[in-house]
Amino acid sequence: MMLIFYFVNGRDQASQREINDAMDIVRQDCKLWCLDSSTTFQYVGKYNGPSRKRNLVITLERKKDKLPEASYYVTPGTKNFMKIIHNWRTAAIDDGSAAKAKEYSDLDYTLIKEKNRLNLTSQIMHISTNGEELAMYRGKLMTLFGTPLIETDDDENAYSYLFEANDHANNKWLFTAYQGPSGFAIGGDPIRKIVKQQLLHL
């Protein structure tokens, strides 16, 4: 997706109230990952987007290395905004994937070699599209588990590993580690996970 923004001239700058409102909207939206001393909020300017709506642009940077975390485009006088998150770790926190992953940390895994069982899983956590990280994850999986269940020359369906996860209450469900159209990702059986949580609360 390509975004083109046109800078609004100096006679039409945002008021301090508009800037403060935009900052509040951003802080409310990113409260899971940006409300600490490591992040810097900056008002960049007032822009016209492709729809010609004026937006206040707020950027978030990491203080330690000045790398961008996210950019927000907030429409003044409304709660409407668009955000672009530049860091996949931050994106995983923002969309809830990181929290989901923590639910599965205390498990035992068994490698499964039955391809037909892959149909019982779907993506639950996107990890990375970075080339070096894709190679790192693939190398670690091969070192730990050997040849994947599926392996092709297509980067959008490069490989898949299938596991059966087992907790201490002997509840079982399927997990996958794979490289697909969204890069390296974790798949699973979220319906069985919901059933497991209900059983634990009986």
Side-chain angles (χ1 to χ4, degrees):
M1 176 176 63
M2 180 177 291
L3 298 173
I4 302 174
F5 292 93
Y6 305 92
F7 186 69
V8 178
N9 65 46
R11 291 174 297 176
D12 194 18
Q13 291 298 302
S15 68
Q16 190 60 51
R17 180 175 180 177
E18 288 179 318
I19 295 171
N20 291 341
D21 288 346
M23 291 280 199
D24 288 342
I25 289 169
V26 172
R27 289 189 178 95
Q28 180 62 31
D29 181 75
C30 72
K31 60 186 176 184
L32 291 177
W33 52 269
C34 71
L35 297 182
D36 58 49
S37 59
S38 66
T39 305
T40 299
F41 290 77
Q42 297 182 79
Y43 167 65
V44 177
K46 196 171 183 179
Y47 289 73
N48 281 345
S51 65
R52 309 307 294 177
K53 289 184 178 179
R54 291 176 182 172
N55 296 276
L56 275 64
V57 182
I58 310 295
T59 62
L60 283 68
E61 290 184 350
R62 296 199 301 259
K63 287 182 179 178
K64 63 179 181 180
D65 51 21
K66 302 299 182 184
L67 291 176
E69 284 284 344
S71 300
Y72 278 77
Y73 302 86
V74 183
T75 305
T78 73
K79 299 290 184 180
N80 298 328
F81 63 87
M82 180 182 70
K83 65 182 169 186
I84 301 173
I85 297 181
H86 308 294
N87 181 331
W88 69 265
R89 292 182 179 85
T90 299
I93 296 171
D94 188 78
D95 67 14
S97 296
K100 289 180 184 177
K102 289 180 181 178
E103 297 177 3
Y104 303 99
S105 60
D106 187 23
L107 303 170
D108 296 320
Y109 298 93
T110 303
L111 191 63
I112 303 296
K113 291 293 187 178
E114 301 167 43
K115 292 182 181 180
N116 63 310
R117 297 182 70 185
L118 281 170
N119 297 330
L120 302 174
T121 66
S122 60
Q123 187 184 101
I124 58 173
M125 182 177 182
H126 164 255
I127 305 294
S128 178
T129 56
N130 178 275
E132 291 183 3
E133 290 176 348
L134 292 180
M136 177 190 70
Y137 287 119
R138 187 169 188 170
K140 287 184 176 182
L141 285 165
M142 291 182 70
T143 299
L144 290 170
F145 304 108
T147 305
L149 179 61
I150 292 176
E151 192 169 20
T152 76
D153 293 328
D154 181 1
D155 285 344
E156 294 194 351
N157 185 29
Y159 65 88
S160 294
Y161 287 86
L162 179 64
F163 305 92
E164 186 175 74
N166 187 67
D167 67 10
H168 299 300
N170 204 32
N171 295 294
K172 297 179 180 181
W173 59 98
L174 295 176
F175 267 91
T176 56
Y178 65 95
Q179 182 179 323
S182 60
F184 179 64
I186 301 297
D189 183 353
I191 295 175
R192 288 290 302 278
K193 180 61 179 176
I194 292 169
V195 172
K196 170 184 177 291
Q197 292 290 359
Q198 290 172 343
L199 287 172
L200 289 177
H201 287 91
L202 291 178

